[in-house]
Amino acid sequence: MKPLPPDTVRLLSSAQVITSVGNVVKELLENSVDAGATSLDIKMENYGLDRIEVRDNGLGIQACDTVVMAVRHYTSKISCHDDLERLDTYGFRGEALGSICAVAEVSITTKTVGEDISTQYSLDVTGKVVSQKPSHLGQGTTVTVLKLFKNLPVRRQYYTNAKKCKEELKKVQDLLMAYAIVKPDLRLTLAHNKVVMWQKTRAADLRGALLATLGSGVVAHLLPCQHLQEQPQISLDGFFPKPGADYLSTSSSSHDKTFIFINNRPVQQKDIMKLLRQSYTAQYPSESNRNRYPVLVLQITLPPSSIDVNLTPDKTQVLLHNKEAVLVALEALLVSLYGFRSPNDATPAERDSTYNQPPSPPQADTSPAEGNPRTSESGVKGLSSSSSIGELFGPVAAVSRGSAADGRPTLSAESWSRGVALTHPASGAPLQPVQIHRSGDAASGPQGSPGKKLLLNAVTENRASLTAYDLISNRTARAPLSAAAMHEKEARAEVLRERPAASLQEISDGVQERWKNLREEERTKYEEKAKKHLVHHGQRTILAAAGGGREAESPSPSRQQGLKRKAPLANQQLLDQLFSPQPQKKKTPAKPPDVKPSRPLPFSVAGLRQGLRRLWSQSSGPPPSGPANAPPGPRLVNRLAPASAWVVLCGRELMLLNPFRVEEALLFKRLLENNILAAVALQNPIQLTDGLLGGSEYTQALCNMAQGIPELNGGVILSDPRLLANGFKIRLFPGSPSAAPSRLEVTALADCVPFLGVEALREILTGVLRRTAATVQDSRPLKVRNYLQGEAVRLARQLPSNMTRQEVEESLSRMTQLLREDSRTCIHGRPFLHQLSVVPGSEHEAKSLLLPIEEL
């Protein structure tokens, strides 16, 4: 035997601590929280394999500690093993950063309050600092991990599967949700490939954190509960599903929404999870609900000396010294919330059998060490686990035959077959089946006498279901869709779009795979839609039943002739009698419509003319004497209140102005002139050739454009505004007649315009060659113009619905200055102004416009 090399030992031990991308994020996140951070930004690239960056605003790392900050077993959180009994931090072993350095490239940038600038440190595989340089980052620590598992090819190969990568990303998001709940004052952001996937703002308390992570729809079905116990010292706190709440809103098919914390540490405890599931699912009789996990938050606070967290490398499992006491306290809290549940009640049939047991006398249990709920202080009234079933539900029935050897009553086959097995506890008479009485038979009898009273247990309403009458006079309604069916309708189209040649079986498999991998938030949305669809279907059914009865009460002769019935009119009264037992309502005569009050207003054409002359005098000096003189521009008259339009005087014409069309055209003109599309760097530059551009003249025109400052590699960026404004960043490598010719490549391209490429560049160069693209506005390609039109419409829709007079006057002024007479239309070709009338210039012309009524 011989010892292993130090590098091998380091790699083997690190591979056990850092097993996945989620472990890296978890260790770095816990270090940030231990440093007092209140803001965390996690950025990942290629599912964390290429880059993981965790940035916080904590206390930072002191300069004297940076030399050994990533060396294994160096830590500032504990000094000896006895400190674990007083542990109040997440980390304590000093292995995280050293293990990450062994399987990836790590750099740390940190700054404390007393330092002027931050410093970036580069680390080697042993965790030692190899270089450092100043940085621009603020207070806190930023850890950057590059090329994760670079020296573990098998583990890196495991993440080449897209499904595995998405699952790992989902685990990271679930991890952040857990810490977002247990730390309400912590702000978290998760970004993948420069796209923000999930974020959570600071919250005031635990309820606010749940609202920010789970949403108001889920929190509305949760109930805050608390349980305190002194001996041994146990504190239970959290939010649990309300008793009897809808299981679709308070449960999940996986355990990622069941949050269990022990001393603010997210843990996985099988015994606690089993007890929570049993108590929750016992409320629902369906067997399918037994496989679901409740949505809840449970915080268990224990003395640090009674917990052993040094059990697994990821510290997600802990060892409890008083495990039985914790389970008893939790069971007491669950019993006080959901009621008593027998240990043998594992199926709905067994749970129903408890109703047939007689009440047993309550047994006292006063041992404090057992965690008796009756001696504990609880936020919800507690019930002892030894309480009798009769104390909870009351006596239901007594058993009339014998008892077993252990004192429990038994049922014989003979008594059961005779119907005397179950007797009433008070009268001793055998229980009879429930009888349902009809209101018509009970109220009026055969002769319909009105003197008899209605029975209290009579059925007086129709069920909300389709009846024979509905099937005759109405159309049948479709059955409500389930959540999976709604998702299938949307996902099938996406699968067909991605794989047009897929078979029916492949499409079905793809849809099922998407449904399995669907995130819980999206699954909840579909379940809420399905629930609303079910409620809407029930309402439609009720309306169909009620509307069908009203239609058949007293049909008028004219309406009978207009309706096409599938059943003959002779059967209508029989159908009404069978399916409409409610008393018919008398129709109230319709009231005549109210006449709105009105009063005459004085109006004079002469007064209107004087007002218009006053407007002319304000704009052009002395009043005009004839129709030839007209003011230089349009003038506002007044606003039409119902329709946000304005009446404008243009010369002698009264016009109707739509100010939003004016603003839309002005915004589009300004975007054409000034907007610069942001170019995004391409991973692989596009090489431009004569064949690609359409000829050597296009290449020559591109080379003759304005150029920027030469770069070190000999290239130069074309700085012509017609290229930069349209989202093209082109680099030119000049050539010489004796050497290679000039080389052009597109290094960056605007990604906001769909399918922007070399064709748009060819349009720009065509305008340059034809001398029709001298300005940026004239050089816009068709795709860019369409994009800017959409942006102008979007910005115009954000304007206030009611513009003030001053704003409209400013729009008219800018329209007169910037837009020509022949281009005063909106983007969709609709004119700004619509003619209403022509103002007469003299009395004779005014009289000629007034025609007698007989001539109209």
Side-chain angles (χ1 to χ4, degrees), residues 17-18 20-34 40 42 52 54 90-91 93 96 100 171-172 175-176 179 265-268 312-317:
V17 177
I18 306 301
S20 62
V21 176
N23 287 131
V24 177
V25 177
K26 181 179 183 296
E27 297 292 344
L28 299 181
L29 184 147
E30 290 181 346
N31 286 343
S32 299
V33 175
D34 290 339
L40 270 172
I42 297 96
I52 300 175
V54 178
Y90 288 106
R93 286 196 291 252
I100 297 174
K171 292 180 181 178
V172 173
L175 174 70
L176 297 184
Y179 284 93
R265 185 186 300 274
V267 297
Q268 298 175 2
T312 56
D314 57 356
K315 301 185 284 290
T316 57
Q317 298 182 11

Side-chain angles (χ1 to χ4, degrees), residues 752-825:
C752 57
V753 181
F755 306 105
L756 185 67
V758 182
E759 294 182 0
L761 178 61
R762 190 184 301 119
E763 290 185 40
I764 300 174
L765 297 177
T766 301
V768 172
L769 292 175
R770 296 179 180 177
R771 303 184 182 276
T772 58
T775 62
V776 174
Q777 178 180 0
D778 299 332
S779 65
R780 297 288 188 182
L782 180 60
K783 292 180 179 178
V784 177
R785 292 181 69 90
N786 293 337
Y787 167 74
L788 296 179
Q789 284 180 357
E791 288 296 302
V793 173
R794 183 180 63 83
L795 295 175
R797 289 178 177 175
Q798 297 177 1
L799 295 174
S801 58
N802 295 325
M803 300 177 65
T804 62
R805 187 181 187 91
Q806 183 179 0
E807 293 174 346
V808 178
E809 288 178 350
E810 291 178 359
S811 298
L812 279 177
S813 177
R814 288 186 286 118
M815 179 192 73
T816 307
Q817 297 174 4
L818 301 178
L819 300 179
R820 302 190 305 269
E821 289 285 344
D822 56 348
S823 62
R824 292 184 178 178
T825 58

Side-chain angles (χ1 to χ4, degrees), residues 25-102:
V25 177
K26 181 179 183 296
E27 297 292 344
L28 299 181
L29 184 147
E30 290 181 346
N31 286 343
S32 299
V33 175
D34 290 339
T38 59
S39 178
L40 270 172
D41 294 318
I42 297 96
K43 300 179 181 178
M44 303 171 60
E45 294 181 5
N46 190 20
Y47 301 98
L49 298 177
D50 294 347
R51 180 185 181 92
I52 300 175
E53 180 182 294
V54 178
R55 179 177 301 178
D56 63 57
N57 62 345
L59 300 177
I61 304 175
Q62 298 290 339
C64 58
D65 296 333
T66 56
V67 180
V68 293
M69 61 184 173
V71 179
R72 295 175 64 87
H73 307 303
Y74 277 79
T75 180
S76 61
K77 299 170 183 177
I78 63 172
S79 57
C80 61
H81 187 272
D82 294 338
D83 292 341
L84 292 178
E85 297 184 357
R86 299 176 295 274
L87 185 66
D88 58 354
T89 59
Y90 288 106
F92 54 88
R93 286 196 291 252
E95 291 183 340
L97 286 177
S99 300
I100 297 174
C101 291

Side-chain angles (χ1 to χ4, degrees), residues 495-617:
V495 173
L496 284 174
R497 193 180 303 111
E498 295 176 0
R499 295 182 294 174
S503 62
L504 294 178
Q505 184 63 30
E506 293 175 350
I507 294 174
S508 179
D509 295 342
V511 171
Q512 293 179 1
E513 186 70 21
R514 292 183 179 225
W515 175 253
K516 293 179 180 178
N517 299 333
L518 200 63
R519 294 191 303 175
E520 190 61 31
E521 294 83 0
E522 299 179 359
R523 189 186 293 266
T524 305
K525 291 180 181 179
Y526 283 108
E527 291 174 351
E528 291 177 355
K529 289 182 181 179
K531 186 177 180 181
K532 292 180 180 179
H533 193 197
L534 179 61
V535 173
H536 179 65
H537 179 267
Q539 293 175 353
R540 288 184 59 190
T541 307
I542 295 175
L543 292 177
R550 285 192 299 269
E551 267 187 26
E553 287 173 5
S554 57
S556 60
S558 59
R559 191 170 182 180
Q560 289 180 0
Q561 296 177 2
L563 294 176
K564 295 183 179 179
R565 300 182 182 272
K566 296 183 180 180
L569 297 179
N571 298 336
Q572 191 60 48
Q573 295 180 356
L574 178 59
L575 292 173
D576 293 341
Q577 181 180 0
L578 290 175
F579 301 104
S580 299
Q582 298 89 348
Q584 298 182 358
K585 299 179 181 180
K586 296 182 179 180
K587 292 186 176 180
T588 57
K591 296 182 179 180
D594 297 335
V595 180
K596 295 183 179 179
S598 62
R599 61 187 180 89
L601 295 176
F603 175 76
S604 174
V605 177
L608 177 61
R609 183 166 57 253
Q610 290 179 2
L612 296 177
R613 286 178 180 274
R614 192 182 305 112
L615 291 176
W616 282 336
S617 62

